[in-house]
Amino acid sequence: MIKFDQVTKRYPGGHEALRNVSFEIGKGEMAFITGHSGAGKSTLLKLAAAIERPTAGTILLNNQNIGAMRRAGLPYVRRNFGLIFQDHKLLYDRNAFDNVALPLAIDGIGGREAGKRVRAALDKVGLLPRERAMPIALSGGEQQRLAIARAIVSRPAILLADEPTGNLDANYARDIMALFRSFNEVGVTVLIATHDAGSAASGNVLHLDHGVLAR
Ligand code: ADP
């Protein structure tokens, strides 16, 4: 589904964040990217989601070379992905329902259809009773679950999460990992970057060390 072949990423200024990285993640797999801070985990996710382009090498998404794609095609590529970040990136002046409805609004889906999908997404993460709550009134773990609801509401085939448990205590972190597993169990491909090797104990692990993959 996602295939990196000899991918190198050099940022402007000459810093090489990834060097000759090759791996493949199959449809329906769950994989973890581990490594120290600055190892290149975020860069790898950004390349996979076509947010950044590789300096060299090829990145295939369903056999399509997304690293070499024209800019106009990128929004279509990005529709395959639900993205989740450590800091949630929620809108703090909108309630839970409206935060989850936002990606649908961008796709031109509103009204009853949007309401149905938003509530289904909130239900999957256990936040349906809190649909009117403002993010600030939610705990850290609940805010992360809200961010996950927003990422899944458009039913992406692939979930990419960057340190999704980074700010959470152990119980909440376990809860979030279990949620990712539940999506994986119904066929969603899941790729999670974490500096915490413990939460990556099971599954396919890609370990980065200073931009180099050491499996
Ligand atoms: P990680 O997610 O493992 O902490 P990153 O992918 O964020 O690692 O960063 C890898 C390396 O690339 C680091 O040295 C970082 O400073 C550098 N880097 C990341 N983003 C940029 C950028 N936009 N411009 C320049 N250097 C960057």
Side-chain angles (χ1 to χ4, degrees), residues 172-191:
Y172 279 138
R174 252 197 308 275
D175 195 37
I176 295 296
M177 282 301 170
L179 200 49
F180 282 118
R181 283 188 203 287
S182 72
F183 291 121
N184 179 244
E185 277 160 17
V186 295
V188 179
T189 305
V190 179
L191 186 54

Side-chain angles (χ1 to χ4, degrees), residues 9-18 33-46 52 162-163 193-195 208 210-211:
K9 174 64 181 178
R10 200 172 300 118
Y11 284 108
H15 188 89
E16 206 170 69
L18 292 177
I33 310 161
T34 60
H36 59 88
S37 173
K41 304 182 295 295
S42 299
T43 299
L44 191 153
L45 291 182
K46 285 177 189 159
E52 292 279 358
D162 196 356
E163 299 280 2
T194 175
H195 66 276
L208 282 172
H210 295 94

Side-chain angles (χ1 to χ4, degrees), residues 191-202:
L191 186 54
I192 300 174
T194 175
H195 66 276
D196 170 20
S199 59
S202 62

Side-chain angles (χ1 to χ4, degrees), residues 9-10 38 63 65 91 104-105 124 129 136 140 172 174 184 201 209 213:
K9 174 64 181 178
R10 200 172 300 118
N63 295 319
N65 186 351
L91 298 176
L104 297 178
K124 281 184 190 141
I136 202 72
Y172 279 138
R174 252 197 308 275
N184 179 244
D209 186 1
L213 199 58

